Amino acid sequence: MPTINDVAKAAGVSPSTVSYVLSGRRPISAETRARVQAAIAELGFHPHAGARALASSKTNVIALVAPLRVDVNVPVIMQFATAVVTAARSFNHDVLLLTKDEGTAGLERVAHSTMVDALILMDLERDDLRIPALRKLKQPSVLIGLPADHTGIACVDLDFAAAARTALTHLAGHGHRRIGLVGPSPAVYRRQTTYADRFLSGFLEASAELDLRTVTHPCEPGAEGVRSALADLDAALDGITALVVHNEEALRPLLDLLQATGRRVPEDVAIVAICPRDVAMSMPVNLTSIDIPAHDVGTIAVETAMRLLDGRRVEYTRLLEPSLVERDSCREIPPSHR
């Protein structure tokens, strides 16, 4: 493996000059910088991460705290993680993955050992216990979510309340007045996960404003959970003509159940799904959906972290406007049948 001394010799400079080129701690002429960079490329030199961190007080690593539990949709979580990793690499940063199960101890461990420059957290709860710990860290943090008190911490997410309103407005515009919400699992609601709470609040508020008859129900994972949720929705509100599904894992078993019981989509039941675009288009029926913009959210989270590291101003609450794409799972109810 080539060393910094090998690079210095090839470029005709001192080892300290190579170090300054790498760290940016002192101004180096463009000509000298070019010679050093050419030598680095030619020799395939890679500075040791620990030494680089000691020299520059930077690690070029971002921590991503992601939920990895049985009640989360791991493929969707990985869409966010992929976006964060891709965006971080564009800023010459790597990503250290932590699980939410580590709690505040994990945050403090990586922060106090100077393992990372910044932290990005997912799966925020309304009164998240990690928030006070984040405020005590020297590293900046960015939240993918919107807890009740996020003063001084940047947040980015889809505007889930607006997404619920968009879904109901779309269905109401197609003549649907009796609508059910298939929500996330009960555990998600018990934890008061912010995206679920915000969507539910937006759904109830929009339902009242649009004068709709609606009913909501959480949905356990699996076919039996979907069967139970749909039965409870039908029992609570007779004549449901549309469903809003805020549960990616429920989509396929729900469509299978509707087909098995003779309820056609969209002729008998319209569906608006809240899910990534690729999920909506992989179902037996191409679903009208509001996209979960994992790529945009993850990219903006990294860009916000980089701005904070550079001491630049950021927008501390960034909620992305929902986008509904109509496909094959909604149809208009004739006025005579409304």
Side-chain angles (χ1 to χ4, degrees):
M1 294 288 291
T3 67
I4 194 170
N5 290 326
D6 296 328
V7 173
K9 183 177 180 180
V13 298
S14 67
S16 61
T17 299
V18 177
S19 178
Y20 294 144
V21 169
L22 293 170
S23 68
R25 296 181 65 181
R26 288 191 183 181
I28 302 295
S29 71
E31 179 185 356
T32 300
R33 180 180 298 276
R35 291 208 317 272
V36 171
Q37 290 173 339
I40 289 172
E42 181 180 352
L43 295 172
F45 172 71
H46 297 285
H48 187 274
R52 183 176 60 210
L54 288 172
S56 65
S57 298
K58 289 183 62 178
T59 65
N60 281 49
V61 176
I62 296 173
L64 173 63
V65 186
L68 296 175
R69 295 183 303 267
V70 295
D71 63 340
V72 301
N73 190 316
V74 173
V76 175
I77 295 299
M78 292 312 298
Q79 289 192 17
F80 284 94
T82 299
V84 169
V85 170
T86 302
R89 286 308 308 149
S90 71
F91 289 96
N92 196 33
H93 275 64
D94 294 312
V95 175
L96 173 66
L97 180 63
L98 305 176
T99 65
K100 186 184 176 185
D101 293 342
E102 295 188 67
T104 58
L107 302 180
E108 292 168 349
R109 173 172 56 81
V110 299
H112 295 332
S113 60
T114 321
M115 295 171 64
V116 299
D117 296 331
L119 301 96
I120 296 175
L121 282 72
M122 298 179 61
D123 198 46
L124 276 297
E125 298 169 8
R126 186 178 67 185
D127 299 310
D128 204 294
L129 298 177
R130 298 171 295 176
I131 301 300
L134 291 177
R135 292 197 174 103
K136 297 176 182 179
L137 302 181
K138 66 178 182 180
Q139 293 92 337
S141 300
V142 180
L143 309 180
I144 296 180
L146 193 69
D149 180 14
H150 59 276
T151 305
I153 303 177
C155 301
V156 57
D157 206 354
L158 172 67
D159 189 336
F160 279 97
R165 179 182 301 277
T166 298
L168 286 181
T169 300
H170 180 79
L171 289 169
H174 283 63
H176 295 277
R177 312 300 302 173
R178 294 168 175 261
I179 303 169
L181 169 63
V182 179
S185 73
V188 172
Y189 287 119
R190 285 195 297 269
R191 288 196 303 271
Q192 297 183 311
T193 309
T194 63
Y195 73 84
D197 279 1
R198 285 153 47 214
F199 190 92
L200 180 59
S201 295
F203 185 92
L204 296 174
E205 290 173 9
S207 173
E209 292 174 13
L210 295 168
D211 195 26
L212 302 174
R213 295 192 64 183
T214 59
V215 61
T216 70
H217 203 284
C219 183
E220 294 279 9
E224 190 53 44
V226 170
R227 187 182 303 277
S228 175
L230 186 59
D232 288 341
L233 288 170
D234 285 333
L237 180 60
D238 185 49
I240 287 176
T241 64
L243 295 170
V244 176
V245 184
H246 188 203
N247 184 327
E248 298 94 344
E249 291 186 311
L251 286 169
R252 186 57 182 259
L254 174 63
L255 290 170
D256 291 343
L257 177 61
L258 291 173
Q259 182 183 34
T261 53
R263 298 168 76 174
R264 299 166 299 167
V265 177
E267 290 83 359
D268 302 316
V269 182
I271 292 179
V272 174
I274 317 301
C275 65
R277 185 178 293 107
D278 64 308
V279 174
M281 297 182 68
S282 68
M283 295 293 139
V285 178
N286 283 335
L287 298 177
T288 295
S289 70
I290 296 173
D291 186 31
I292 300 292
H295 174 79
D296 292 343
V297 170
T299 299
I300 292 170
V302 172
E303 291 172 348
T304 302
M306 293 299 107
R307 291 182 67 88
L308 289 168
L309 286 171
D310 291 341
R312 291 181 287 167
R313 296 181 61 182
V314 300
E315 188 175 349
Y316 272 87
T317 301
R318 182 91 177 267
L319 296 180
L320 305 190
E321 183 178 347
S323 173
L324 183 145
V325 177
E326 185 161 12
R327 298 189 181 92
D328 303 331
S329 62
C330 289
R331 79 164 190 164
E332 189 164 350
I333 296 179
S336 60
H337 290 72
R338 297 179 185 178

